[in-house]
Amino acid sequence: MTVLSPATAADRTGVSIDTLRYYEREGLIGPIRRSAGGRREYTEDDIFWIGLVTCFRDAGLGIADLREFVAILRSERSPQDRVAFLRERRAALEERVAALHRAMGVLDEKIAHYS
Amino acid sequence: MTVLSPATAADRTGVSIDTLRYYEREGLIGPIRRSAGGRREYTEDDIFWIGLVTCFRDAGLGIADLREFVAILRSERSPQDRVAFLRERRAALEERVAALHRAMGVLDEKIAHYS
DNA sequence: TCTTGACCTGGAGCGCGCTCCAGATCCGAG
DNA sequence: CTCGGATCTGGAGCGCGCTCCAGGTCAAGA
């Protein structure tokens, strides 16, 4: 099974090496397996997971939120608990969308005013 | 014409007094008129403008973005320039909405998986 | 073997957006 | 006139999310 060097992982995910290490320290990813010499070896699964993390980061979630998300998914919680947590997170994102829509409405108003 | 004290303005807008001063320093609002003694006197117009600013802040825009927004609206730019700027901002917000939708999609997938 | 460059760790530094503080001033109630 | 609460200013401090650095290790190529 092929593994990826830190540089390659960074390249593939669009996340800097420093940030990958940071995410690992913060418990958002990994722990990443190491080679005999102590270098990180990223698997495709790691890359996929990093993709999830960046997806949520891009959506504006904070590190603490992500950590909680990871903790829930890795925990032995019941499906019901997980679903409850996920729905709650979803609702928070919907509120963000609503805030965005409000701002876009203001913009539309201004645009209409100057058109 | 009635004016509002800093405390009242803070109360009305939900923005702390410190933050109102900060916004003023940064050029996002005001400059707010002062009383003979040097205290700020917020007008209803000021309150309205603060509402716009908080709307955009809630949508995740940064201070620099807001400053630019204010600068454009106050400048002597042509309506075309303003509309162009506003449309550009709107597109950026739409991209944020898209990022949010992507994250919500991931959440939905997980929810479906555990349901 | 030697060089070179990627990688390691721990910790410092940075920009953002506030938030708090000290010390002074203002002003309405008593 | 006095008192005390609200406000003023300039500047320090803080949490977040990286980003960078020093000093050392590892490993592939000449």
Side-chain angles (χ1 to χ4, degrees), chain B residues 16-91:
Chain B
S16 78
I17 293 180
D18 271 328
T19 301
L20 285 176
R21 280 197 291 252
Y22 170 67
Y23 284 175
E24 192 178 348
R25 269 201 303 282
E26 295 298 321
L28 272 41
I29 61 174
I32 306 299
R33 215 182 49 201
R34 304 304 187 93
S35 72
R39 273 84 198 290
R40 269 166 267 255
E41 297 180 329
Y42 295 87
T43 66
E44 288 297 334
D45 281 358
D46 290 330
I47 300 300
F48 179 76
W49 184 260
I50 293 164
L52 288 187
V53 168
T54 55
C55 176
F56 288 122
R57 284 291 300 122
D58 289 348
L61 274 75
I63 300 301
D65 291 323
L66 265 317
R67 202 154 34 207
E68 200 183 357
F69 182 80
V70 172
I72 290 281
L73 289 194
R74 287 185 175 167
S75 73
E76 292 303 321
R77 296 297 192 75
S78 71
Q80 291 91 322
D81 283 0
R82 295 176 200 242
V83 168
F85 172 80
L86 294 167
R87 282 199 202 286
E88 183 191 307
R89 289 289 113 192
R90 194 185 196 291

Side-chain angles (χ1 to χ4, degrees), chain A residues 33-54:
Chain A
R33 215 183 47 202
R34 305 305 186 92
S35 73
R39 274 85 198 290
R40 268 167 267 255
E41 297 181 329
Y42 295 86
T43 66
E44 288 296 334
D45 280 358
D46 291 330
I47 300 300
F48 179 76
W49 185 260
I50 294 165
L52 288 186
V53 168
T54 55

